[in-house]
Amino acid sequence: MMRTRPLKVALLGCGVVGSEVARIMTTHADDLAARIGAPVELAGVAVRRPSRVREGIDPDLVTTDATALVKRGDIDVVVEVIGGIEPARTLITTAFEHGASVVSANKALLAQDGAALHAAAQQHGRDLYYEAAVAGAIPLIRPLRESLAGDKINRVMGIVNGTTNFILDKMDSTGAGYQEALDEATALGYAEADPTADVEGFDAAAKAAILAGIAFHTRVRLDDVYREGMTEVTSADFASAKEMGCTIKLLALCERAADGGSVTARVHPAMIPLTHPLASVRGAYNAVFVESDAAGQLMFYGPGAGGAPTASAVLGDLVAVCRNRLGGATGPGDSAYTQLPVSPMGDVVTRYHISLDVADKPGVLAQVATVFAEHGVSIDTVRQSGKDGEASLVVVTHRASDASLDGTVEALRSLDTVRGVASIMRVEGE
């Protein structure tokens, strides 16, 4: 039997995502009510510019006083899609204090203060859901928190930023340089006027922190995530990758150590074999590859951004939270019982692709190989080409630690036969 009194929803932010949330709540009202067991009512919309026309939204619902809205006391769920740290953090904790559960898409805030927000939700017996914070429409948070709750996740590796994947895909498929591909992404609306958060990996790092915390049941903050942007990736790197049967992606990688005693979280460009499922993710799409003990290998794929896809994830959370509200229960909260340390990047072990500019004369390869051996880094393959006294030497290593590779590169730079280190890139997914 359906309850007739509606559940009241406060919407914080009415931009690209917020306006889609409001639209879907209105156009799918009957379906949402049937799925929840009660109607849902948009009770207020907090915005910064109230004079802007918002199609389909009653102007009487619009307010600039977000604090008053979340303090009303009759609000059942607050949907936060304004982003940033403040005032979002204060508004969310205020919502808990006044009896509302929260659905958020705020990756930056959750990566920085997720533990405190979960604690506030638990203190007040309310839900905190955030499916939309990591990969847009892709169902990922709930499968990790619920469907795989009985399994042991060992690795999460994914493409979690559509802008960077679009740029790298263009460089790979057309031979374009980085700036040319970025200009096209900007013209098509995939890249912001200031793309720093995307291309320098800040956006992906926040998502990696969230994913690692959920996957490994431990505390991982944004500051724990190693971050390396993709602005130095060149068309020459793609040419080298193709010679190895690889492509290049900006990856978020979260791993449990082999001994189970620590975890790592990192974001950086990497070569991956064309045979890996992530290599076929094109354009602005996202995909996340999960490896666990019992389930084995799983991949989640779909649009990772945009108003409607992100709103889809928000509405999914809204339905779940409203159902919990009607049942007098709460869903899964924070799970950080393992308290595993996050290892520094220097401890991470992976393969490397190193391209060196060297003198084209006898003995160079022997000198370079000696340096690798002295630092305990085993060489898998070497490729050399050159003429007129200059040469290029490409070395692909077996698995080595980041710290040992750093020492190797420093020693290589001291050789008088090495003119420079053209590029260094990790090789993942093998």
Side-chain angles (χ1 to χ4, degrees):
M1 180 184 227
M2 183 178 293
R3 191 180 86 165
T4 57
R5 184 173 69 80
L7 292 158
K8 294 190 176 184
V9 178
L11 179 60
L12 308 183
C14 198
V16 173
V17 176
S19 60
E20 281 295 310
V21 170
R23 182 188 66 80
I24 295 171
M25 285 184 64
T26 301
T27 58
H28 295 181
D30 291 342
D31 286 338
L32 291 173
R35 294 165 191 171
I36 292 168
V40 287
E41 173 189 310
L42 189 59
V45 182
V47 299
R48 286 185 297 176
R49 292 180 287 275
S51 59
R52 178 182 297 175
V53 176
R54 293 171 172 85
E55 186 177 349
I57 296 177
D58 183 349
D60 290 340
L61 297 179
V62 176
T63 178
T64 57
D65 194 343
T67 301
L69 179 59
V70 300
K71 282 184 173 181
R72 273 177 37 173
D74 65 335
I75 300 297
D76 295 289
V77 184
V78 169
V79 174
E80 182 272 310
V81 288
I82 56 178
I85 305 302
E86 287 293 355
R89 174 171 48 198
T90 298
L91 290 170
I92 289 173
T93 55
T94 302
F96 291 141
E97 292 165 1
H98 288 78
S101 290
V102 173
V103 173
S104 176
N106 195 330
K107 56 187 171 286
L109 178 58
L110 288 158
Q112 179 172 307
D113 289 321
L117 295 178
H118 274 292
Q122 183 178 18
Q123 178 185 351
H124 297 284
R126 295 294 177 252
D127 276 322
L128 173 63
Y129 276 48
Y130 44 91
E131 184 67 68
V134 171
I138 304 172
L140 182 60
I141 300 299
R142 197 168 297 132
L144 291 178
R145 289 211 298 187
E146 300 178 32
S147 304
L148 296 173
D151 206 344
K152 179 184 177 184
I153 298 173
N154 297 309
R155 194 175 202 225
V156 179
M157 178 172 73
I159 299 163
V160 294
N161 183 278
T163 300
T164 56
N165 200 58
F166 178 88
I167 293 169
L168 292 173
D169 184 38
K170 278 294 174 184
M171 293 176 70
D172 184 27
S173 61
T174 69
Y178 167 76
Q179 190 60 51
E180 182 183 351
L182 173 60
D183 290 344
E184 183 173 352
T186 304
L188 292 172
Y190 291 122
E192 300 286 346
D194 179 1
T196 302
D198 295 324
V199 299
E200 293 295 353
F202 291 101
D203 176 83
K207 295 170 180 177
I210 295 169
L211 289 174
I214 295 171
F216 307 132
H217 303 278
T218 195
R219 302 271 188 233
V220 180
R221 288 170 49 90
L222 180 58
D223 292 346
D224 296 321
V225 181
Y226 171 84
R227 178 194 55 78
E228 184 181 319
M230 48 161 277
T231 58
E232 300 301 317
V233 176
T234 67
S235 53
D237 292 326
F238 274 101
S240 292
K242 287 181 179 180
E243 290 180 359
M244 291 178 58
C246 292
T247 188
I248 298 171
K249 300 291 186 182
L250 184 74
L251 297 179
L253 298 110
C254 312
E255 292 181 297
R256 188 191 301 268
D259 63 4
S262 64
V263 300
T264 59
R266 50 198 166 102
V267 168
H268 53 71
M271 294 182 179
I272 58 172
L274 295 175
T275 53
H276 194 282
L278 289 176
S280 62
V281 179
R282 311 301 297 269
Y285 274 70
N286 284 191
V288 177
F289 196 75
V290 178
E291 300 176 30
S292 68
D293 276 1
Q297 298 179 335
L298 306 168
M299 192 166 92
F300 302 83
Y301 169 85
T310 305
S312 171
V314 170
L315 268 295
D317 279 350
L318 179 63
V319 169
V321 169
C322 286
R323 286 172 175 169
N324 292 343
R325 190 84 169 186
L326 286 180
T330 55
D334 194 20
S335 175
Y337 68 91
T338 61
Q339 299 182 11
L340 296 173
V342 181
S343 296
M345 188 62 189
D347 293 346
V348 171
V349 175
T350 189
R351 295 181 70 204
Y352 291 88
H353 175 283
I354 305 104
S355 179
L356 304 172
D357 295 326
V358 299
D360 186 17
K361 62 183 184 180
V364 173
L365 179 56
Q367 284 186 323
V368 169
T370 298
V371 169
F372 276 89
E374 288 174 347
H375 288 81
V377 178
S378 175
I379 294 175
D380 181 20
T381 62
V382 176
R383 186 173 68 253
Q384 185 173 7
S385 61
K387 61 181 180 178
D388 299 329
E390 297 297 330
S392 174
L393 189 65
V394 174
V395 178
V396 180
T397 74
H398 287 291
R399 292 175 65 82
S401 72
D402 197 75
S404 64
L405 199 281
D406 283 347
T408 304
V409 171
E410 184 177 349
L412 288 171
R413 294 185 197 276
S414 68
L415 295 177
D416 57 9
T417 53
V418 174
R419 309 297 194 217
V421 180
S423 69
I424 303 171
M425 192 166 295
R426 296 168 183 87
V427 182
E428 300 286 349
E430 295 185 313

